Amino acid sequence: MTTLIFGHQNPDTDAITSAMSWAEFQKQAGNTDVEAVALGEPNDETKFVLDHFKVAAPRVIKTAANETGHVMLVDHNEFQQSVADIEDVQIDSVVDHHRIANFHTASPLYYRAEPVGSTNTVIFELFQEHGYEISPTLAGLMASGLISDTLLLKSPTATDKDKKILPEMAKIAGIDLQSYGLAMLKAGTNLAAKSDMDIIEGDAKSFTMGGKSIRIGQVNTVDLDDIYARQDELVAAMTKEAQAKGYDDFLLIATDILNSNSTGFAVGADRDKVAAAFNEKFDANDRLALPGVVSRKKQVVPPMQGAFEG
């Protein structure tokens, strides 16, 4: 029976590439009956990566229990971010770099989590610890996941370990970090080609905070004016999606990757609480200025959780 390996829903580059790198680790460890899959189609940034390294995208699954009884999770652990039938399969391992919440298993498992910039940082360490081979292509995929999650090490999520490891990955991959990294990040910011739903849901995750269902999406851009021009349509799409899925609040973070600033847009009954989490207020244009904020994991979720659960 094949063990399926996957990252979170609405997968980003780190989610998809870490599934692929963890699958390769398993094969070198002797567990050859594994397959890296995805819980959604790759976004434009990830497509750029896969095309650059001439690697096929993992197939997309909606459920797992119809295929297997065993799975491995990467880049997430919270059940609401995982495959729909996660409670119907056995989780054999988790490799992650996020908080641990809403997670439990019936059986013992391998669990490796570190507070670093990407899951691929953790997996790269594991390859080194075991003396396993990292091919140039695999190193490129792993570097791409780390570049994506840390915005080329500009994010506060980037640790000293990430800053040491990324050049090592790049050397093996044979890429120039600055030119490749910037091209990769820009590939994911072509908003003109994205629908309103692509923008609000393309990189969105659900969280439970203070008994509320909170949806937090993030979109990267090189010009926030591109987002401002579509604000009414995006807010309308967020409102519709929140009503359809039962979210109490929906926050969209638009991040300027060149200047490392963000603007927030929110719908729901707790807009004032959302703003208070960042010690800010929505302006006359219903925009929440978030200077210096680029990381959902480190700069958005923790203050939001404090505001809703404090």
Side-chain angles (χ1 to χ4, degrees):
M1 181 181 294
T2 299
T3 298
L4 299 180
I5 303 175
F6 47 82
H8 51 76
Q9 297 172 21
N10 297 325
D12 55 15
T13 300
D14 194 43
I16 287 183
T17 58
S18 62
M20 299 168 79
S21 58
W22 190 232
E24 176 59 25
F25 179 94
Q26 292 298 319
K27 290 173 183 177
Q28 292 195 36
N31 183 11
T32 58
D33 198 5
V34 296
E35 180 188 2
V37 295
L39 303 188
E41 297 292 341
N43 59 33
D44 288 342
E45 178 189 277
T46 309
K47 289 177 183 176
F48 174 92
V49 171
L50 298 176
D51 288 344
H52 182 90
F53 292 103
K54 297 179 174 58
V55 176
R59 69 184 177 93
V60 176
I61 65 167
K62 299 298 182 184
T63 55
N66 56 308
E67 302 188 37
T68 183
H70 295 266
V71 301
M72 297 181 178
L73 310 185
V74 293
D75 203 31
H76 76 295
N77 63 81
E78 298 186 48
F79 280 10
Q80 67 265 36
Q81 296 175 11
S82 198
V83 73
D85 57 352
I86 187 63
E87 299 204 51
D88 297 329
V89 291
Q90 179 173 313
I91 302 171
D92 293 338
S93 73
V94 176
V95 184
D96 196 12
H97 69 128
H98 296 92
R99 69 174 191 169
I100 300 172
N102 304 316
F103 178 83
H104 62 271
T105 62
S107 303
L109 77 163
Y110 176 87
Y111 202 112
R112 175 80 170 247
E114 295 184 32
V116 292
S118 81
T119 300
N120 273 299
T121 297
V122 182
I123 296 174
F124 187 85
E125 280 188 298
L126 286 165
F127 268 87
Q128 291 184 317
E129 290 170 9
H130 287 77
Y132 293 163
E133 179 184 357
I134 300 175
S135 69
T137 296
L138 183 61
L141 295 175
M142 298 170 85
S144 300
L146 178 48
I147 290 169
S148 177
D149 265 19
T150 64
L151 295 180
L152 198 52
L153 301 178
K154 290 182 179 179
S155 170
T157 59
T159 66
D160 289 342
K161 186 176 291 185
D162 299 306
K163 294 172 184 176
K164 175 182 179 294
I165 282 177
L166 184 55
E168 295 177 19
M169 293 176 171
K171 183 177 181 180
I172 298 171
I175 56 173
D176 178 81
L177 269 180
Q178 292 303 313
S179 60
Y180 171 78
L182 192 57
M184 186 197 102
L185 292 173
K186 285 186 175 179
T189 64
N190 181 16
L191 301 185
K194 298 179 186 292
S195 69
D196 295 335
M197 279 297 292
D198 288 337
I199 291 175
I200 69 168
E201 279 291 313
D203 183 12
K205 295 182 179 180
S206 293
F207 301 87
T208 300
M209 300 179 182
K212 298 289 187 75
S213 176
I214 311 295
R215 188 72 164 172
I216 304 177
Q218 185 169 21
V219 60
N220 291 339
T221 182
V222 293
D223 189 347
L224 285 169
D225 284 338
D226 292 342
I227 290 289
Y228 298 155
R230 298 173 62 174
Q231 180 175 340
D232 290 346
E233 292 81 2
L234 294 173
V235 169
M238 291 163 63
T239 301
K240 183 177 180 181
E241 188 70 0
Q243 292 172 344
K245 300 293 176 62
Y247 306 137
D248 293 293
D249 296 277
F250 197 140
L251 172 65
L252 175 66
I253 305 293
T255 299
D256 180 342
I257 63 171
L258 298 182
N259 296 305
S260 299
N261 291 309
S262 294
T263 297
F265 309 90
V267 299
D270 305 290
R271 276 166 41 92
D272 289 343
K273 189 175 290 187
V274 170
F278 304 98
N279 296 313
E280 297 283 353
K281 292 184 179 180
F282 285 93
D283 64 18
N285 294 311
D286 276 339
R287 299 169 188 166
L288 187 65
L290 300 171
V293 171
V294 295
S295 169
R296 172 174 50 199
K297 180 181 70 173
K298 194 165 185 177
Q299 295 173 295
V300 177
V301 172
M304 287 273 290
Q305 195 165 9
F308 278 81
E309 298 180 356

